[in-house]
Amino acid sequence: ENKKVSPLQQRRLYEQQVADNPFAILPHKPNYLLPFTYSNVNTDIYDNILGDNEYDPIEAKFQISIKYTAWENFIFDDIDLQFAFTATSWWQTYNEELSAPFRETNYEPEITFIYNRPWDLFGLPIDATYVSFNHQSNGQGGEFSRSWNRIIGGIIINDGPIIYSLKTWYRIPEDEKETPDGIGDDNPDIQEFLGIGELGALWQINDHHNVSILLRNNFESDNKGAITLGWSYPLTDHLQGYVEYFNGYGESLIYYNEHTQTIGFGIKLTDWL
């Protein structure tokens, strides 16, 4: 109680308090609902199934992300084995002509080994280190199928009011497709647009306001990148308002190779910290 801990360590202490509660589900990534998002995207890819109809640029977006700590102190002290699942959906809520379909849903199960003991890297305070086995897919088939498998390694750096997250990944190779509709890699050039890593930062302005940024870049001559900006602020003791802006490639798998720009307004049920 008298020892000062970092925000990340504080979150882990909260999670440990409910670890034995069979009715408690832990959040993984943020959980949020954006009832109103406006997207500037190219919907030509859907022409074959929409006919004369069109998707609305105004839709809803929401994310559900949970995790389960299966084994604390796995093999070694302070290493936890976790299972996590994240689903992010783009929902044509206001498109009555098409009966309000879900335009796209991305599913992301993963297994993570996380080392929770703080350590220093050239003077930088590392709060957590992790390696995960990650699958991401939009759950569709044929020309709409998108997926990839990765091994992801990352560190989380605590620097006062700002928490930094740096991660990189190795894409597990897949066989090439022999025919357009056959079994094989649906998106062989995905790393040309999403790169091999990303940098995130969360600035806790005070106890009530958080500003986040996420950056990606492919570091190639044909430059492709992305930026996500988020601002969360209090509405009630357990509910936050949330504004999110995205610009670049890879907001969803169906648009991994299409430049998109989106802004959304809504609520956040759980934040990173």
Side-chain angles (χ1 to χ4, degrees):
E1 293 181 356
N2 297 324
K3 183 180 179 180
K4 185 177 180 180
V5 297
S6 70
L8 191 67
Q9 291 171 324
Q10 187 178 48
R11 171 174 173 163
R12 184 169 183 246
L13 290 173
Y14 282 136
E15 292 177 351
Q16 288 176 327
Q17 289 177 8
V18 298
D20 296 328
N21 186 339
F23 299 101
I25 298 177
L26 297 176
H28 180 45
K29 299 178 181 180
N31 290 270
Y32 59 80
L33 168 64
L34 304 176
F36 300 99
T37 67
Y38 177 82
S39 301
N40 178 17
V41 297
N42 182 358
T43 59
D44 291 347
I45 190 175
Y46 298 109
D47 286 348
N48 291 339
I49 61 171
L50 292 179
D52 295 331
N53 297 309
E54 294 183 354
Y55 279 137
D56 288 341
I58 298 177
E59 60 186 0
K61 176 186 177 184
F62 64 87
Q63 179 168 283
I64 298 172
S65 185
I66 59 175
K67 69 179 179 182
Y68 170 68
T69 300
W71 195 337
E72 291 186 346
N73 298 316
F74 179 75
I75 301 179
F76 301 102
D77 290 344
D78 297 309
I79 294 181
D80 293 344
L81 170 62
Q82 298 179 340
F83 297 94
F85 177 79
T86 302
T88 309
S89 293
W90 291 260
W91 182 17
Q92 288 277 292
T93 317
Y94 314 104
N95 195 334
E96 297 180 358
E97 294 182 359
L98 294 176
S99 298
F102 282 83
R103 178 175 61 80
E104 170 90 345
T105 298
N106 290 172
Y107 308 94
E108 192 173 2
E110 56 187 319
I111 301 173
T112 302
F113 298 90
I114 181 168
Y115 179 59
N116 292 292
R117 182 178 297 175
W119 57 283
D120 285 344
L121 176 64
F122 304 115
L124 292 175
I126 309 299
D127 255 23
T129 314
Y130 63 90
V131 174
S132 69
F133 300 88
N134 179 287
H135 170 78
Q136 190 178 30
S137 169
N138 66 351
Q140 301 202 40
E143 63 178 308
F144 299 105
S145 176
R146 304 287 186 272
S147 66
W148 59 334
N149 300 303
R150 294 173 290 170
I151 299 174
I152 302 175
I155 57 175
I156 300 175
I157 301 169
N158 174 37
D159 187 19
I162 302 180
I163 307 296
Y164 296 96
S165 172
L166 177 64
K167 67 181 180 181
T168 186
W169 52 73
Y170 166 75
R171 185 189 182 188
I172 300 174
E174 299 180 54
D175 294 333
E176 294 184 8
K177 283 192 171 186
E178 297 182 1
T179 62
D181 296 328
I183 298 174
D185 195 346
D186 297 310
N187 31 253
D189 60 344
I190 191 170
Q191 289 195 176
E192 296 178 15
F193 296 89
L194 272 64
I196 59 169
E198 62 187 29
L199 171 66
L202 177 69
W203 178 25
Q204 293 188 300
I205 301 176
N206 52 41
D207 292 338
H208 307 291
H209 292 260
N210 291 337
V211 173
S212 62
I213 183 171
L214 186 66
L215 299 171
R216 281 199 307 267
N217 198 285
N218 64 356
F219 296 106
E220 297 181 6
S221 56
D222 185 15
N223 190 261
K224 300 291 190 299
I227 181 173
T228 305
L229 297 173
W231 170 42
S232 56
Y233 52 91
L235 294 178
T236 69
D237 290 341
H238 300 286
L239 199 63
Q240 296 174 302
Y242 183 48
V243 181
E244 182 183 85
Y245 171 75
F246 176 87
N247 191 328
Y249 293 85
E251 184 194 19
S252 66
L253 284 179
I254 199 69
Y255 287 132
Y256 80 90
N257 57 354
E258 293 274 354
H259 185 275
T260 63
Q261 189 172 192
T262 304
I263 186 167
F265 304 87
I267 57 174
K268 182 175 279 187
L269 303 178
T270 60
D271 210 334
W272 290 106
L273 298 172

